[in-house]
Amino acid sequence: MKYSPYSLLVLIFLLFFSKNNYAQGPGSLFVDAGLDILIPCGTGGCADITADYLEIFETFSTNYTVAPIPYSPDVTGNPPFPFNGLANNMNPNLDDTWSVVETLPFDFCFFGSLEQLFQVGSNGLIRFDVGNSGDYNAWNFNEDLPNNTNPALGEGNIFTPVHDIDPAASDSDEIGYEVLGTYPNRVLVVSYFSVSIYGCNDLRETHMAVLYEFSNVIEIYIQDKHVCVNHNGGNAALGIQNNDGDIAYVPQGRNTSDSPWTATNEAWSFSPDGEQTYVFEWLDSNGDFISNDPTINVCPDVEETYTAQITYTNCNGDFVTLTDDVTVSVDTTFSVNLGGDQDLCDESSYDIIAEIIDGDSNDVTFEWSTGEDTQTITVTDSGDYSVDVTIDGCSITQTISILFKESPLFDLGEDFSTCFENDIVLDATPSNMNPDDVTYSWST
């Protein structure tokens, strides 16, 4: 990304004074064409440009990729979303209950289903197959994920992790959610902040789930996950599971049978792993396609702006296109002027002069597209003519367009007078060109 000094001031203002001052997370859509490049003159005039972007995949299959996410609490924006102070407090101060049914702020694709509602369980889990507000959220389990027999696990889809925590034990804890960001990069953040473990009220648990628009990525961030071994064996499980409860994705060492386990400053992503749902393209300054490869080699004549463009398609059929530009310039110490394109009338030839500006005209070579190697060439045909001018190993290419045209030839005949009132026919059809290419304007 490139910023002018003015845009940097605006960015700083927004960072400090925006109400929702939160960074995009790893699952957000983006494309970055990289920094502008200045190629030293005499080094060949070419450079590689590389675009970076988020790859997303469809969710109609049952495949997900589980991967750890860097977690650095001392680094701003990592994790990128807050654990507390979220806009919608869902903490009923009741243990073992499901929240009210909430509407998802965007269509979310999950194991091939288009989800639009969600509920939050007080024991660290979220479900899309919703029930009634205040339903009992079971806490006792010793089975692994996936599971569809024990309600403590079978009723859930996202486990942040699931374990027996008690929001009724304190007034300083929070269970809440908020929608952050703007289309197409909105996120639903559901967080458990400083919630006591049941039976061990001094142990406070902080973790959250993040659901991303368009990419349909799920992330789980854990600041603190302790163990209360004198209750339910300290059992806990982290991961995601489909609505049928027969497919689950769990990070290694984070299932119930791995209990008791603890975690601090840990994060995981669960990314759909079906067919590719994005198209990447490099475009030139005219908007013409260059390549689908993220890295390409470009050789601009003097300066060229290239556009990295990516189109994302969501599971509901929506699509969005993002772009970013990179400018590649050659650091030349001179310039070449051919005099500009020419439209010539009734001229049989034209001299094109490659004028050297701010360069040593005594140590220069010329290579015209006509094969000539002089500073000036004479042309007699319409067309585009280009020249490569080289000084001390540094080359510049310039092109000029020449169009030879001629005046129309026609004859209206001798002057005459007549006493008859019949119409007189005058013919101005030119003899040296196609009449269809001619326009006429008579005067009387």
Side-chain angles (χ1 to χ4, degrees):
M1 295 290 186
K2 286 71 66 179
Y3 297 105
S4 67
Y6 172 76
S7 62
L8 282 174
L9 290 174
V10 173
L11 177 62
I12 293 170
F13 177 86
L14 292 174
L15 287 175
F16 279 95
F17 296 101
S18 175
K19 177 181 182 291
N20 289 329
N21 175 22
Y22 307 125
Q24 291 185 350
S28 297
L29 308 184
F30 77 96
V31 61
D32 183 1
L35 298 175
D36 292 343
I37 297 175
L38 184 63
I39 304 172
C41 197
T43 59
C46 298
D48 285 345
I49 55 176
T50 299
D52 188 20
Y53 49 84
L54 179 71
E55 299 179 340
I56 69 172
F57 303 89
E58 56 90 1
T59 66
F60 295 110
S61 69
T62 58
N63 297 325
Y64 280 77
T65 298
V66 183
I69 305 173
Y71 189 118
S72 302
D74 296 332
V75 177
T76 302
N78 192 356
F81 308 106
F83 285 104
N84 63 326
L86 297 179
N88 305 287
N89 191 341
M90 307 179 72
N91 184 358
N93 256 352
L94 296 174
D95 190 24
D96 300 330
T97 58
W98 284 98
S99 73
V100 297
V101 176
E102 300 285 355
T103 300
L104 278 162
F106 44 82
D107 289 337
F108 187 76
C109 303
F110 184 75
F111 282 100
S113 297
L114 190 63
E115 306 294 353
Q116 296 175 319
L117 301 173
F118 73 98
Q119 275 181 295
V120 177
S122 64
N123 288 320
L125 67 169
I126 302 165
R127 69 181 180 186
F128 301 121
D129 190 6
V130 298
N132 296 316
S133 172
D135 281 352
Y136 178 61
N137 179 199
W139 57 269
N140 189 12
F141 65 92
N142 56 21
E143 301 88 353
D144 271 344
L145 294 172
N147 182 273
N148 55 20
T149 58
N150 185 338
L153 299 176
E155 292 182 351
N157 295 116
I158 301 173
F159 306 88
T160 72
V162 56
H163 53 155
D164 192 12
I165 51 180
D166 184 7
S170 172
D171 291 330
S172 61
D173 58 355
E174 294 181 28
I175 300 177
Y177 84 93
E178 186 170 354
V179 180
L180 303 173
T182 58
Y183 176 90
N185 279 326
R186 291 173 292 183
V187 296
L188 171 66
V189 179
V190 179
S191 178
Y192 300 79
F193 175 73
S194 193
V195 183
S196 298
I197 299 180
Y198 188 90
C200 298
N201 292 352
D202 58 328
L203 298 178
R204 298 298 189 94
E205 310 301 274
T206 297
H207 39 82
M208 69 177 165
V210 180
L211 282 63
Y212 286 87
E213 182 178 22
F214 253 91
S215 69
N216 300 297
V217 169
I218 299 167
E219 293 170 354
I220 294 175
Y221 293 86
I222 304 175
Q223 177 178 293
D224 295 298
K225 189 272 172 193
H226 304 91
V227 170
C228 184
V229 294
N230 60 5
H231 179 67
N232 196 32
N235 287 334
L238 184 152
I240 63 173
Q241 143 175 296
N242 65 344
N243 286 332
D244 291 335
D246 57 4
I247 302 175
Y249 287 88
V250 179
Q252 184 176 4
R254 293 296 177 257
N255 219 327
T256 305
S257 57
D258 301 307
S259 300
W261 54 268
T262 63
T264 302
N265 297 344
E266 176 178 299
W268 299 92
S269 72
F270 302 82
S271 303
D273 195 19
E275 294 296 322
Q276 175 179 313
T277 59
Y278 66 91
V279 176
F280 172 78
E281 299 172 296
W282 276 112
L283 308 176
D284 64 18
S285 57
N286 295 320
D288 296 327
F289 171 79
I290 301 175
S291 175
N292 297 119
D293 297 329
T295 297
I296 59 174
N297 187 258
V298 296
C299 305
D301 292 338
V302 177
E303 179 178 293
E304 179 83 10
T305 297
Y306 302 91
T307 299
Q309 175 176 287
I310 190 163
T311 300
Y312 293 104
T313 301
N314 200 6
C315 58
N316 60 2
D318 291 346
F319 66 91
V320 64
T321 298
L322 306 179
T323 61
D324 190 37
D325 293 338
V326 59
T327 299
V328 182
S329 308
V330 179
D331 185 16
T332 57
T333 57
F334 67 97
S335 60
V336 177
N337 181 21
L338 299 184
D341 296 341
Q342 301 292 321
D343 282 354
L344 306 172
C345 189
D346 296 329
E347 297 287 344
S348 59
S349 64
Y350 180 76
D351 291 338
I352 308 175
I353 303 173
E355 180 186 4
I356 309 300
I357 301 174
D358 297 329
D360 184 1
S361 58
N362 296 320
D363 187 20
V364 58
T365 61
F366 304 89
E367 185 177 348
W368 291 89
S369 54
T370 59
E372 298 170 82
D373 59 3
T374 57
Q375 184 173 11
T376 301
I377 64 171
T378 301
V379 297
T380 58
D381 295 320
S382 298
D384 293 336
Y385 297 88
S386 61
V387 62
D388 293 332
V389 180
T390 303
I391 300 177
D392 295 330
C394 180
S395 297
I396 293 178
T397 301
Q398 290 284 18
T399 300
I400 186 174
S401 178
I402 305 296
L403 180 60
F404 288 100
K405 297 182 292 186
E406 58 181 341
S407 300
L409 298 177
F410 62 93
D411 186 2
L412 297 180
E414 299 292 333
D415 295 342
F416 64 91
S417 62
T418 179
C419 295
F420 299 102
E421 296 181 0
N422 295 335
D423 292 338
I424 303 300
V425 177
L426 299 177
D427 186 2
T429 303
S431 60
N432 62 337
M433 60 187 61
N434 187 342
D436 294 336
D437 297 332
V438 179
T439 59
Y440 301 88
S441 177
W442 291 89
S443 62
T444 60

